[in-house]
Structure formats: C-alpha cells, structure tokens
Amino acid sequence: MPFADSGMLAAFDELAGLGLDSMGVVRLLVDIEDAYGVQVPDEILDEATFATVGSLWEAVAPLVPHR
C-alpha cells in the first residue's frame, strides 16, 4: 500500500486511503493466504471487508489457526 510507509496501522485506517486499489486487493489476499496458510472464502470478499484495517482483520482472523 503506497501510503502505509509509517509501518504502524490502526484498526480505523481506511485501506483505500492507504492506496489499496483492486490490484492491491488481489496481492494482499495472496499475501494473507501465503503468510497464514489459509484460504479466504469468496463469501467474505466485499467492499465492507476491505473498508478498514480492522474490518479486514475481523474477516480474516477467524480463519487463522491459533499458534
């Protein structure tokens, strides 16, 4: 994300405001799936999921195995 150079993200940060576009969504999904070993279901892939950092984490967190 082009505008996320500070390294620290807050739950309320808007992903679009950080530069996430449609191609970025695809790259981010691949990165999440690779990093956490999960398959993100199509049912949660909507605009609300990618609204903020927090909304994305709320959608993905239940998929991530507890370590």
Side-chain angles (χ1 to χ4, degrees):
M1 288 181 278
F3 304 115
D5 56 320
S6 71
M8 296 299 293
L9 298 174
F12 57 82
D13 288 337
E14 293 183 5
L15 293 173
L18 295 170
L20 188 68
D21 59 14
S22 58
M23 288 303 295
V25 166
V26 173
R27 287 191 299 270
L28 182 56
L29 282 173
V30 169
D31 289 346
I32 289 170
E33 290 180 340
D34 288 348
Y36 294 104
V38 299
Q39 179 70 35
V40 179
D42 291 341
E43 297 81 44
I44 67 169
L45 301 179
D46 59 25
E47 191 173 321
T49 297
F50 293 95
T52 65
V53 171
S55 63
L56 178 58
W57 183 246
E58 283 182 25
V60 172
L63 305 173
V64 177
H66 297 282
R67 297 177 192 213

